[in-house]
Amino acid sequence: MAGGDEVKEVRNQQVLARDYISAIPEESDMYLNRSSTIKLRVPDEDDCQEAMLLKNLYLSCDPYMRGVKHSDATSSTDQDRIVFFATDKPIVGYGVSKVVDSKHPEFKAGDLVWGITKWEEYTLIKNTQSFFKINHTDVPLSYYTGILGMPGMTAYAGFYEVCNPKKGEYVYVSSAFGAVGQLVGQFAKLMGCYVVGSAGSQEKVDILKNKFGFDEAFNYKEEADLAAALKRYFPQGIDIYFENVGGKMLDAVLLNMRLHGRIAVCGMISQYNFEQHQGVTNLMHLIYKRVRMEGFFVFDFYHLYPKFLDLVVPYIKQGNITYVEDIVEGLENGPASLVRLFSGRNAGKAVVVVARD
């Protein structure tokens, strides 16, 4: 925008957090601010020398957003922290946006990007390090909140880079219906692995088997003995466990791991709402069976994003990967969509549409 032009000021509707959330979130923990406005130009300020102004199009709802303080995308050792819920501040999360104005040499007005933004119509981004330019626009843009964004990269990094899978191995994915789990299972099937997933309803179990191509799946809520259930589905044991749950599930898996098995620890959704996390009692099996268990942050693997796209974009275009989204329209419906994640009522990757262009 030219310096002499009059700067347009518009409404900037926002979803704000009432406070830091330490329990299962409720819609009442968030509220809509309809009175905020913003000028559609990056301000001439010292800390905005490489800033950009975004119009948010799609926002991602993810389980880890529940009050978790998370490492910044600059590096896994960075002291800066992202707080997704801060008192009377817009909620922070991943999204797909269009650049309205930019002072950054790598981003220009009209570019489509994905990265860490805020739950509002427009966001001024001063630190652009977490953003990626979208070059493949022949797939739905909402995919960059999921399969082609952070969840997709998480599935790729955890499965391929951390677990080093081999054809024919036995793979178990917990929370397999989630945005990450559904992709891990399909990556494993494309490698020729035997794959079992668990989910929280019979409907989700059926989709895992009939739509996503899992060899088997089960409803963990109907299993009184998780270790016995896993023994039933993996009589020869588990080579790779993609960990999304923690707690009792992890304990059961440890009893069923094969020699030299690998566990990629992506998340532990069963523990997010406990002030005192549940203990794990079967860790000695890591020694007995020489199992490697490794936690990881997707941020540490973002340098592999081009390699990831080279693999996954053709899979999408060729129909080799099935991807399910649970889309709601309107920023005002975002809180309800986020809350549904913690009761298992979401039917795929949860996405909030703020605007479509």
Side-chain angles (χ1 to χ4, degrees), residues 176-197:
F177 197 77
V180 174
Q182 62 175 263
L183 297 176
V184 172
Q186 292 181 81
F187 288 158
K189 285 303 299 176
L190 288 166
M191 273 210 71
C193 298
Y194 171 80
V195 185
V196 177

Side-chain angles (χ1 to χ4, degrees), residues 20-199:
Y20 175 80
I21 296 175
S22 59
I24 297 174
E26 300 178 358
E27 288 184 57
S28 58
D29 292 321
M30 298 160 266
Y31 66 99
L32 198 64
N33 176 15
R34 301 178 186 273
S35 62
S36 179
T37 62
I38 191 170
K39 292 183 178 180
L40 296 184
R41 179 182 291 166
V42 175
D44 294 320
E45 298 174 1
D46 290 343
D47 61 349
C48 292
Q49 294 306 304
E50 292 193 341
M52 58 182 179
L53 180 66
L54 304 180
K55 179 181 182 181
N56 295 315
L57 305 179
Y58 300 91
L59 298 174
S60 178
C61 298
D62 298 293
Y64 62 81
M65 292 169 62
R66 187 218 49 81
V68 175
K69 295 180 179 179
H70 207 55
S71 291
D72 187 280
T74 53
S75 80
S76 60
T77 58
D78 201 307
Q79 294 303 305
D80 292 333
R81 312 297 283 180
I82 297 171
V83 180
F84 293 97
F85 289 83
T87 305
D88 294 324
K89 301 290 185 183
I91 295 170
V92 174
Y94 278 89
V96 174
S97 312
K98 179 183 283 187
V99 179
V100 176
D101 189 27
S102 175
K103 291 187 177 182
H104 195 285
E106 295 181 13
F107 301 103
K108 65 181 187 299
D111 283 347
L112 294 166
V113 298
W114 71 269
I116 298 173
T117 185
K118 296 179 181 180
W119 280 36
E120 55 189 359
E121 292 175 289
Y122 295 89
T123 300
L124 177 65
I125 300 293
K126 297 179 181 181
N127 182 354
T128 61
Q129 288 179 302
S130 73
F131 279 85
F132 295 86
K133 189 181 295 187
I134 295 173
N135 295 314
H136 295 279
T137 55
D138 50 351
V139 295
L141 284 179
S142 59
Y143 279 19
Y144 288 91
T145 67
I147 187 171
L148 292 178
M150 183 277 293
M153 265 302 297
T154 301
Y156 173 87
F159 183 63
Y160 291 107
E161 300 296 325
V162 175
C163 290
N164 189 27
K166 301 175 183 65
K167 183 178 180 180
E169 289 194 310
Y170 301 99
V171 178
Y172 173 51
V173 185
S174 60
S175 191
F177 197 77
V180 174
Q182 62 175 263
L183 297 176
V184 172
Q186 292 181 81
F187 288 158
K189 285 303 299 176
L190 288 166
M191 273 210 71
C193 298
Y194 171 80
V195 185
V196 177
S198 58

